[in-house]
Amino acid sequence: MGLKEKLADLRQQGLQEIENSQDLKKINEIRVKMLGKKGPITNVLRGMRDISVEERPKVGQFANQVRDDLKTAIEEKRAALEQAALDAELAAETVDVTLPGSPVAQGQPHVIQQIIDQVVDLFVSMGYEVAVGDEVEQEVYNFEKLNLPKDHPARDMQDTFYVTPSVLMRTQTSPMQARMLEKHDFSQGPLKMISPGKVYRRDTDDATHSHQFNQIEGMVVGKHITMADLKGTLETVAQALFGDKLDVRLRPSYFPFTEPSVEADITCFNCMGKGCAICKHTGWIEVLGAGMVHPNVLKMSGVDPEEYGGFAFGLGPDRFAMLKYGVDDIRNFYQNDVRFLNQFDEKG
Amino acid sequence: MKVSYQWLKEYLDLDVAPRELAEKIARTSVDINDVYQPADGLKKIVVGKVVAMQDHPNSDHLHICQVDVGEEQPIQVVCGAPNVTTGKKVIVALNGARIADNVKIKRGKIRGVESNGMLCALQEIGFSDKIAPKDYSAGLYFLPDDAKEGEPVFGYLGMDDTIIDTDVTPNRGDMLSMYGNVNDIAAFYGLQSHFKELPVEENGTENTGDLVSAKIDDHKIAPTYKLRVIKGVKIADSPLWLQIRLWNAGIRPVNNVVDVTNYILLKYGQPLHSYDYDRLPGHDFGVRHAKEDEKFTTLDGDEQTLKANDILVTVDNQPVALAGTMGGEGTAVSDQTTTVALEAAIFDPVMVRKQARRLDLHSESSMRFERGINPATVETALNEAAELIKELAGGQVTKGIVTGSEKSAADKQITLSLAKVNHVLGTDLQMADVEDVFSRLRFAADVKDDDQIEVTVPARRWDIFVAADLYEEIARIYGYDNLPSTLPVMTRNRGGLTPRQRFIRASRHDLEGMGLTQAISYSLTTVDKAKQFQIDPVAEPMKLDFPMSSDHVATRMSIISGLLIDIAYNVSRNVNNVALYEEGRVFLPKGGERPEEQEHLAGAITGQMLANDWHTEDRPVDFFQVKGIVERYLHNMGLTGKVTYVADQSRREMHPGRTANILLDGQLVGFLGQVHPSTAKVYKIPATYVFELNLESLIAAPKVANEYHPISKYPSITRDIALLVDDDITNAMVMDVINKRGGAFLKDVHLFDVYSGLHLPKGKKSLAYTLTYQDDNDTLTEDQVNAAFDKVTKSLTDTLGAEIR
Ligand SMILES: [Zn+2]
């Protein structure tokens, strides 16, 4: 048997062993055994002296070829075994991806707060300032300065929690109209304000009445403010809050502190105007009260109604929330059952 | 007001459907509650004639009736009504009919006898008990004898009319009459009004003034007061047309005299009162305030106890009516009445309102007096009523009207500027447009020049006083739909939230991010609860003068007590993990006219922040979890001052060993800790941890400017130290020493272990810290760190007696 044949045998035998090995340890042993200094290839090459000088380089080249082939096979096998080991390890780490994720603590803004913030943000984007008033108010500001003298019928509609004859829990956010009119420096431009807050009425709490609820008051007074501006503003608010596919209608109403007074209705979003229980079969839902600031209100706050005029409007976040989400009991808002509160995620 | 569409059509050539008219009224005049036909939802209800009847063999009150319903053969109906009579025309619900409350009538057997329908009372076809005439309140209603068998009954009963139920605002009292409705509808549709008044023809021989007198001492109570007398009337039922007018307006027909007064009330908005002349205590009418505790029996049979601000109509100083509200039992018109004294007046709106409200006697009359009466039609209404009574009940209208007082019905002149009209409305109206509006309203208008127009407002529109009121008339008749839609012209207003408002909003978002849900609780609470959990206690809360419920009598002085009520509400419904916060006002009386209103922020947590989970360990809320939230919040708010937590045992509602005051640069700004178990028991809540902060102090406090701190590029070196100290040595004391003695390179101290108990001597605990050293400008050497660390170690040993482990 020639050296070449011996080497070929060794290669055949080595490749077979590599092929058959099942773990990295075995592969290492094969590497040491086959390619080491005392390995069979070196051993075969000792027989070089017995062959012709011309044959020697050819055999040497072939021996190198065998060595390289074995090396490559070992590396390939090692990589394959390592990959298999990693695959097995990862397979053992497999989780049930359908198990629920770990809970993360996350609170929610109150649904009424969400509506207040939404309205406030809308008006702030239109250049309004936010004026927050006191909840314990002087009677003068809550009534007299709003053109509601004693014995005015509208005072009956707002049964009041008095503290003393001159101090009360405010029944509306409108006192901020008078307070801001008195404070505003008209030489710096018109007054544009929005005033959210809690108000109180002497009512027995039931599904539709609450002795505490919220209002948002808005007012713009300047030299060139028109009823058309009011109409545009109310349409903007109603559509921003309820969607621009709904129609807005204005109809005459009555508030002592505005003249003309209007109410803004939107198409009933439940029946789209066809008539249903929510809209009492009218197809319309009342969402805002508004009007042109009554000259008496301006006068009482030291603003000349000949020179200045403007509009005011008010809306009820509680009522908005009830309409928007179909909440049928206003007490839900103040009992703070977390199952109720957490229903209103803040997508708006 | 329930406005009849058919009645309107008598006065106006309307060519619009009722619903369309209602929509126009809503957009132009007053709001609409409802539009309906009384016959809505009813079907197969026809006229029938009882042609024969016999007793039911198996019943002592049922009858077997043969009823002609216009078919070839009469149908058999079993009926239990006591007044069923042969020959009468009755209301028959046929097999398959729908009657009131959506009840379906089916053929069937009643006690073994076949019945093919039902004979109906008015209530059974939708009349309310309040409206059905008294005579028929307990039995069948008899239709007119000429009603045709088999025809639907609706036309005979006015149930095919459409009712437009308007919701009249307090200023538009004129819209509580057909007269006012006709005027407004004529104006907005530009129609001719055919409204007709019925003049009186006095056929009596006597002078009214010889029968009654009226002396009104206090014109404030009754600015107008007028009387007529009709002698020799015969009380009977009103004709059906009149009854229909009333019941379609929600008023029960009573008799021909009372019905006429109610008909006139609907037509003119003028309430009238009819007295039985012969039962009056005398003949001299007057008005006065009641005496305190004076007694008076109203015609509903109730004895009223009066107050001094109530108002009365008197005869010979004896009360005969609560003025404008309700008549007296003793002088009411009855079947025996033959002479009627008829009163038409205007009573003071405020006095009537207060009286009706106090006695809970709201009526069609009081509602109209409260909103004002047209002074121009008092006499018209009185005359027409007298004439109608004469026509329907016979008798003689005596000569003349007795007048006790008379309010002027003068017109008002208001001058308008066209420029101002356009300026206020944002319109571009011409003078002709404005003239057109007033001509439709039938207000005289006199154009003075290019700009000025003088408008004469008739007495029938007593809601109009100033130019702004006329702007409204122009806007609504011109049409709100036709107004342009603009936004206020851009101005230099910057708008936006103030720093204070931004701080409050950031506070809310911060706590929500940490897992607390926003609550909004009641500001009004009990006195006891108002006083609890105050940061800096004030003795007494502000109290309401006249509270509505004992749960809401005083304004809160802390937010926590409201949150605990919320927690109790949740826990009682088996919601046991609750983490709430609230931001809002507390009210602190400090001697001024009004209390000081402070913005506070509070939280309350019970159970666990996170619900039980397969993957995380249960972690009931504890002091340090809540403290962590407060610390993180205060950190996020960027206060420059030093926040410290000092144990506090002075708060009665708080756990004495688990409560800390929160100080900002030594000033009290809040507290946190566990609610005292005894307090928790009263609130019916489990262990609950709370905090409350005075936002006013935090808002006012200086804030960190946002500036950049370069991160040292040199390595840091750490040293751990474990100390064995006495139990009463606090973390704050240790931190204090470390920070004071740590040297210039000490960057951070982190407590990583606290241990006491097993393996430690009694009264001792172990605290372990990691100290981090770093130089911003150079690499620290081990020697530098060792020197600094030794210094700290020695100080801890020397000052706190700490044993280094
Ligand atoms: Zn609807």
Side-chain angles (χ1 to χ4, degrees):
Chain A
M1 201 196 248
L3 290 181
K4 260 191 157 177
E5 286 73 22
K6 282 185 181 167
L7 285 169
D9 272 2
L10 278 175
R11 178 166 66 179
Q12 183 56 40
Q13 192 189 325
L15 289 176
Q16 192 61 50
E17 269 187 63
I18 292 164
E19 176 65 33
N20 291 341
S21 60
Q22 290 302 321
D23 57 50
L24 288 166
K25 199 172 149 233
K26 184 78 187 161
I27 282 286
N28 257 335
E29 282 170 19
I30 293 170
R31 192 175 55 82
V32 172
K33 194 179 82 183
M34 298 292 289
L35 302 175
K37 288 249 185 313
K38 291 170 185 166
I41 296 174
T42 318
N43 210 18
V44 169
L45 289 178
R46 290 217 180 92
M48 287 271 269
R49 67 187 92 125
D50 298 332
I51 58 167
S52 69
V53 176
E54 305 92 81
E55 283 294 310
R56 279 182 197 173
K58 286 182 188 166
V59 173
Q61 219 172 7
F62 184 61
N64 284 338
Q65 177 68 47
V66 169
R67 205 183 283 271
D68 284 350
D69 287 353
L70 289 171
K71 247 187 212 163
T72 307
I74 286 169
E75 280 319 307
E76 278 172 1
K77 186 68 183 181
R78 184 203 303 281
L81 286 173
E82 275 174 357
Q83 184 60 47
L86 183 60
D87 287 350
E89 198 179 317
L90 296 186
E93 288 172 6
T94 301
V95 298
D96 175 358
V97 298
T98 67
L99 285 171
S102 297
V104 174
Q106 173 66 60
Q108 295 273 13
H110 195 286
V111 56
I112 294 206
Q113 185 74 55
Q114 291 179 31
I115 287 172
I116 291 174
D117 285 353
Q118 206 183 347
V119 174
V120 164
D121 290 349
L122 173 67
F123 280 98
V124 162
S125 77
M126 295 194 286
Y128 286 60
E129 64 180 300
V130 183
V132 182
D134 287 344
E135 293 171 27
V136 180
E137 206 18 297
Q138 288 173 297
E139 187 191 47
V140 226
Y141 283 93
N142 196 75
F143 291 128
E144 266 83 355
K145 283 175 184 266
L146 296 174
N147 206 27
L148 275 140
K150 279 208 166 48
D151 296 327
H152 194 285
R155 281 208 186 185
D156 286 355
M157 303 193 290
Q158 313 191 343
D159 219 335
T160 311
F161 283 127
Y162 276 92
V163 177
T164 67
S166 61
V167 173
L168 44 76
M169 302 303 292
R170 68 175 173 189
T171 60
Q172 45 191 354
T173 44
S174 313
M176 280 313 276
Q177 287 189 20
R179 289 194 176 270
M180 291 302 283
L181 281 171
E182 289 179 354
K183 222 175 84 181
H184 187 74
D185 178 359
F186 282 93
S187 72
Q188 298 300 305
L191 168 62
K192 293 168 78 177
M193 69 103 175
I194 184 125
S195 181
K198 293 193 184 101
V199 300
Y200 303 85
R201 302 274 169 93
R202 201 174 169 281
D203 243 332
T204 303
D205 295 342
D206 61 24
T208 54
H209 297 85
S210 178
H211 74 274
Q212 170 184 313
F213 56 101
N214 292 272
Q215 275 189 349
I216 303 177
E217 191 80 11
M219 182 164 73
V220 177
V221 171
K223 286 188 177 174
H224 308 289
I225 309 298
T226 70
M227 189 136 195
D229 295 337
L230 170 61
K231 186 179 173 188
T233 303
L234 295 183
E235 285 170 354
T236 305
V237 192
Q239 294 182 338
L241 287 170
F242 291 99
D244 52 14
K245 285 182 187 63
L246 304 177
D247 283 336
V248 177
R249 80 170 178 183
L250 295 187
R251 55 180 170 75
S253 187
Y254 172 72
F255 306 105
F257 34 91
T258 51
E259 185 71 36
S261 300
V262 290
E263 244 149 341
D265 299 342
I266 55 164
T267 317
C268 174
F269 41 74
N270 187 53
C271 63
M272 294 314 284
K274 284 190 211 72
C276 69
I278 289 181
C279 59
K280 291 193 238 154
H281 308 286
T282 60
W284 294 100
I285 285 182
E286 175 191 325
V287 288
L288 282 148
M292 301 306 288
V293 180
H294 198 289
N296 291 355
V297 172
L298 294 173
K299 239 180 278 171
M300 281 187 278
S301 294
V303 178
D304 180 2
E306 290 305 313
E307 198 179 345
Y308 294 97
F311 62 77
F313 58 87
L315 56 97
D318 300 56
R319 186 177 145 70
F320 268 37
M322 292 179 88
L323 288 172
K324 193 167 173 177
Y325 299 104
V327 175
D328 54 3
D329 191 330
I330 192 172
R331 289 170 294 195
N332 278 317
F333 297 134
Y334 302 101
Q335 284 159 339
N336 301 302
D337 185 323
V338 292
R339 294 167 302 179
F340 174 79
L341 297 176
N342 289 332
Q343 289 179 43
F344 307 98
D345 52 32
E346 211 186 357
K347 288 190 296 289
Chain B
M1 178 183 178
K2 293 181 167 59
V3 179
S4 153
Y5 179 74
Q6 289 180 356
W7 197 356
L8 282 176
K9 286 198 83 160
E10 285 186 13
Y11 303 134
L12 292 167
D13 302 323
L14 287 170
D15 58 359
V16 291
R19 283 199 178 271
E20 198 184 321
L21 172 62
E23 175 71 20
K24 184 72 179 166
I25 293 174
R27 285 180 191 253
T28 320
S29 305
V30 291
D31 199 11
I32 302 296
N33 287 325
D34 204 357
V35 181
Y36 61 92
Q37 281 195 2
D40 282 346
L42 308 176
K43 66 171 188 186
K44 295 184 84 171
I45 301 172
V46 300
V47 178
K49 181 180 182 181
V50 182
V51 289
M53 59 187 262
Q54 59 182 103
D55 291 347
H56 192 296
N58 303 325
S59 163
D60 57 1
H61 71 282
L62 294 175
H63 300 282
I64 302 166
C65 307
Q66 305 304 320
V67 185
D68 178 357
V69 291
E71 292 165 13
E72 279 176 30
Q73 295 293 320
I75 59 170
Q76 176 170 297
V77 177
V78 175
C79 175
N83 64 339
V84 60
T85 312
T86 311
K88 286 287 188 189
K89 298 282 173 75
V90 293
I91 302 165
V92 186
L94 300 173
N95 179 39
R98 290 264 174 205
I99 61 169
D101 303 322
N102 210 19
V103 172
K104 196 174 176 185
I105 298 302
K106 276 202 221 113
R107 178 179 293 136
K109 284 191 170 173
I110 297 176
R111 295 201 191 174
V113 175
E114 190 180 300
S115 182
N116 297 302
M118 175 178 167
L119 306 189
C120 298
L122 289 174
Q123 287 87 336
E124 284 156 338
I125 58 167
F127 282 63
S128 83
D129 283 333
K130 267 169 49 200
I131 293 168
K134 266 211 174 87
D135 290 353
Y136 299 106
S137 61
L140 300 181
Y141 182 79
F142 297 133
L143 294 163
D145 290 339
D146 59 0
K148 194 166 177 310
E149 293 86 344
E151 279 197 6
V153 298
F154 308 126
Y156 292 103
L157 297 172
M159 297 174 75
D160 57 349
D161 194 0
T162 302
I163 308 304
I164 300 171
D165 188 9
T166 60
D167 185 7
V168 177
T169 48
N171 60 324
R172 290 302 306 271
D174 63 305
M175 290 296 282
L176 290 173
S177 65
M178 292 304 292
Y179 182 55
N181 278 281
V182 166
N183 287 333
D184 237 43
I185 295 167
F188 62 63
Y189 279 139
L191 295 174
Q192 193 67 42
S193 161
H194 310 306
F195 188 86
K196 276 184 289 290
E197 295 169 2
L198 182 64
V200 68
E201 200 186 304
E202 294 169 343
N203 58 342
T205 48
E206 289 170 274
N207 289 318
T208 313
D210 295 335
L211 298 168
V212 289
S213 76
K215 186 161 175 292
I216 305 303
D217 295 325
D218 187 347
H219 280 231
K220 177 93 179 73
I221 298 175
T224 299
Y225 192 90
K226 290 172 179 291
L227 291 166
R228 267 196 180 277
V229 173
I230 304 106
K231 296 195 75 170
V233 298
K234 188 167 180 328
I235 303 297
D237 283 347
S238 301
L240 190 52
W241 70 263
L242 177 52
Q243 296 197 32
I244 289 171
R245 288 277 179 261
L246 298 188
W247 71 44
N248 275 351
I251 298 174
R252 180 208 287 276
V254 178
N255 59 45
N256 46 13
V257 170
V258 173
D259 291 355
V260 164
T261 62
N262 283 326
Y263 171 80
I264 296 297
L265 168 136
L266 292 172
K267 186 172 174 185
Y268 291 96
Q270 172 66 55
L272 301 171
H273 188 65
S274 52
Y275 299 92
D276 184 334
Y277 179 84
D278 297 317
R279 292 166 76 193
L280 292 170
H283 303 118
D284 298 325
F285 282 78
V287 296
R288 64 165 167 84
H289 283 286
K291 299 179 195 95
E292 194 71 19
D293 293 330
E294 187 171 355
K295 301 278 195 269
F296 178 66
T297 303
T298 41
L299 54 80
D300 55 8
D302 290 346
E303 188 186 73
Q304 313 286 351
T305 303
L306 306 180
K307 298 234 177 262
N309 52 3
D310 287 331
I311 50 174
L312 294 169
V313 176
T314 58
V315 170
D316 290 7
N317 209 32
Q318 307 267 327
V320 291
L322 291 174
T325 311
M326 193 180 263
E329 188 179 41
T331 57
V333 170
S334 70
D335 292 350
Q336 283 73 49
T337 301
T338 55
T339 300
V340 172
L342 202 57
E343 166 196 283
I346 300 177
F347 295 111
D348 181 72
V350 175
M351 295 178 194
V352 171
R353 189 175 89 242
K354 288 187 170 169
Q355 170 162 284
R357 198 171 146 81
R358 189 180 70 72
L359 298 171
D360 198 17
L361 287 175
H362 295 279
S363 64
E364 294 284 342
S365 295
S366 70
M367 178 171 90
R368 286 173 174 81
F369 284 121
E370 286 172 27
R371 289 161 205 242
I373 300 292
N374 178 9
T377 50
V378 181
E379 205 164 292
T380 318
L382 182 62
N383 288 342
E384 182 161 335
E387 179 65 21
L388 254 183
I389 289 172
K390 183 185 80 185
E391 286 179 14
L392 299 181
Q396 302 85 46
V397 177
T398 59
K399 286 188 195 311
I401 291 174
V402 166
T403 297
S405 59
E406 178 136 36
K407 183 183 178 173
S408 156
D411 300 338
K412 276 178 291 253
Q413 267 77 34
I414 299 171
T415 301
L416 292 184
S417 146
L418 178 63
K420 181 89 189 189
V421 166
N422 282 321
H423 188 232
V424 169
L425 300 181
T427 46
D428 195 15
L429 299 177
Q430 306 300 305
M431 189 58 97
D433 301 324
V434 174
E435 281 187 270
D436 177 57
V437 166
F438 292 119
S439 118
R440 284 155 169 260
L441 286 165
R442 290 188 293 120
F443 293 2
D446 182 9
V447 177
K448 298 284 182 192
D449 56 33
D450 288 352
D451 185 57
Q452 304 276 305
I453 176 168
E454 189 187 72
V455 181
T456 301
V457 182
R460 66 181 155 86
R461 288 299 305 276
W462 62 93
D463 58 312
I464 295 172
F465 298 96
V466 295
D469 298 322
L470 289 178
Y471 302 156
E472 177 159 36
E473 294 303 302
I474 297 167
R476 70 186 187 90
I477 299 295
Y478 177 67
Y480 286 116
D481 296 339
N482 299 323
L483 283 192
S485 204
T486 54
L487 288 177
V489 283
M490 266 330 269
T491 51
R492 289 186 307 136
N493 296 56
R494 196 175 60 87
L497 299 180
T498 61
R500 175 191 174 85
Q501 290 157 359
R502 284 204 304 273
F503 186 95
I504 291 173
R505 203 182 260 206
S507 298
R508 295 200 318 254
H509 292 173
D510 218 47
L511 291 178
E512 284 153 19
M514 291 190 279
L516 277 68
T517 290
Q518 186 185 17
I520 300 179
S521 316
Y522 293 122
S523 310
L524 291 166
T525 183
T526 65
V527 172
D528 280 351
K529 290 200 171 89
K531 280 154 76 166
Q532 290 178 339
F533 299 106
Q534 295 182 67
I535 294 176
D536 193 3
V538 164
E540 286 296 319
M542 185 189 88
K543 297 182 193 86
L544 299 181
D545 184 38
F546 185 34
M548 191 77 185
S549 114
S550 58
D551 288 338
H552 308 291
V553 299
T555 42
R556 64 183 179 187
M557 298 198 284
S558 86
I559 292 177
I560 290 174
S561 64
L563 288 175
L564 297 190
I565 295 171
D566 300 336
I567 286 192
Y569 185 87
N570 278 281
V571 168
S572 71
R573 282 157 184 78
N574 283 321
V575 180
N576 297 311
N577 295 332
V578 186
L580 294 173
Y581 85 91
E582 180 164 353
E583 166 270 314
R585 299 289 174 83
V586 302
F587 306 84
L588 307 174
K590 293 193 169 170
E593 188 193 26
R594 293 185 291 156
E596 183 180 312
E597 295 191 20
Q598 278 184 0
E599 205 71 52
H600 278 205
L601 182 68
I605 306 174
T606 192
Q608 308 194 150
M609 287 292 286
L610 295 174
N612 284 350
D613 182 49
W614 65 279
H615 193 231
T616 35
E617 272 179 64
D618 290 4
R619 188 183 171 192
V621 64
D622 63 16
F623 180 89
F624 299 103
Q625 202 173 4
V626 175
K627 185 177 175 187
I629 290 170
V630 172
E631 281 176 334
R632 183 72 220 185
Y633 164 70
L634 291 173
H635 169 83
N636 290 352
M637 292 302 109
L639 307 166
T640 57
K642 186 169 154 46
V643 178
T644 47
Y645 298 84
V646 180
D648 180 81
Q649 305 191 328
S650 69
R651 301 177 185 279
R652 274 197 309 159
E653 305 87 15
M654 297 295 291
H655 189 306
R658 292 182 177 173
T659 298
N661 280 340
I662 305 166
L663 309 183
L664 176 62
D665 281 340
Q667 184 209 346
L668 180 68
V669 296
F671 66 93
L672 72 100
Q674 185 183 353
V675 174
H676 197 293
S678 313
T679 311
K681 205 171 160 189
V682 175
Y683 278 90
K684 299 195 172 78
I685 54 174
T688 299
Y689 287 84
V690 296
F691 68 87
E692 178 141 350
L693 290 162
N694 178 352
L695 286 186
E696 305 296 341
S697 310
L698 303 186
I699 291 167
K703 309 294 186 305
V704 180
N706 275 329
E707 58 183 41
Y708 160 67
H709 297 283
I711 293 158
S712 172
K713 46 180 187 275
Y714 300 98
S716 61
I717 295 177
T718 60
R719 289 283 184 273
D720 287 354
I721 183 171
L723 308 170
L724 192 66
V725 293
D726 290 344
D727 268 344
D728 60 356
I729 303 291
T730 65
N731 172 57
M733 294 157 80
V734 175
M735 291 291 287
D736 210 36
V737 172
I738 296 176
N739 282 322
K740 214 177 279 172
R741 300 289 169 202
F745 302 130
L746 181 63
K747 275 282 150 78
D748 182 58
V749 185
H750 176 67
L751 172 73
F752 67 89
D753 190 45
V754 180
Y755 180 74
S756 60
L758 232 57
H759 311 307
L760 288 185
K762 216 171 174 335
K764 295 278 187 184
K765 66 182 172 187
S766 164
L767 299 171
Y769 300 84
T770 299
L771 281 61
T772 304
Y773 297 90
Q774 192 174 38
D775 186 348
D776 290 341
N777 304 312
D778 207 348
T779 305
L780 277 180
T781 66
E782 289 286 328
D783 288 349
Q784 284 174 300
V785 173
N786 289 343
F789 187 64
D790 289 346
K791 205 168 156 193
V792 167
T793 316
K794 188 169 182 315
S795 285
L796 289 168
T797 314
D798 292 352
T799 53
L800 302 176
E803 192 185 312
I804 313 300
R805 302 175 76 214

